[in-house]
Amino acid sequence: MGWLGGGKDLSLAELIARKQYKKALDLLEVEFRKGERSPRLRLQFADVLTMANRGKEALPILLGLADEFARDGFAAKAIAVLKKAEKIQPGD
């Protein structure tokens, strides 16, 4: 029965591929509770929120990441994140 996915925990990528966004968000929240706050993890969290049609919740995360990248001298990354935010809320 393990081949049906019932007997094993799925990875974040597998959950996203199966469009099980609630479970993916739960998995990411566990990492946050452990203290993990890397830009990569926050970006994944914002991306999954967006895929789950919760883009308004992702917007503050994306804007914070863009500010952080800009402060750290990563202009290209900041612009890429701002483009994601623009797709969520065009014109702002």
Side-chain angles (χ1 to χ4, degrees), residues 29-67:
E29 286 175 4
V30 167
E31 292 300 313
F32 280 127
R33 277 188 245 121
K34 288 181 184 176
E36 175 64 38
R37 298 275 195 267
S38 70
R40 178 195 59 79
L41 189 70
R42 288 182 283 151
L43 186 57
Q44 277 186 321
F45 190 68
D47 286 342
V48 176
L49 282 170
T50 302
M51 287 182 255
N53 294 319
R54 295 170 53 186
K56 297 289 184 190
E57 294 174 57
L59 205 53
I61 297 167
L62 292 171
L63 295 176
L65 278 169
D67 285 343

Side-chain angles (χ1 to χ4, degrees), residues 9-29:
D9 291 330
L10 298 174
S11 72
L12 179 62
E14 290 170 325
L15 290 170
I16 292 169
R18 292 177 182 209
K19 298 184 180 184
Q20 295 179 354
Y21 303 127
K22 170 75 172 100
K23 289 181 181 181
L25 289 169
D26 291 344
L27 191 61
L28 288 164
E29 286 175 4

Side-chain angles (χ1 to χ4, degrees), residues 78-90:
I79 291 168
V81 171
L82 287 172
K83 285 183 180 184
K84 287 182 180 221
E86 176 75 15
K87 286 181 183 178
I88 295 169
Q89 191 165 347

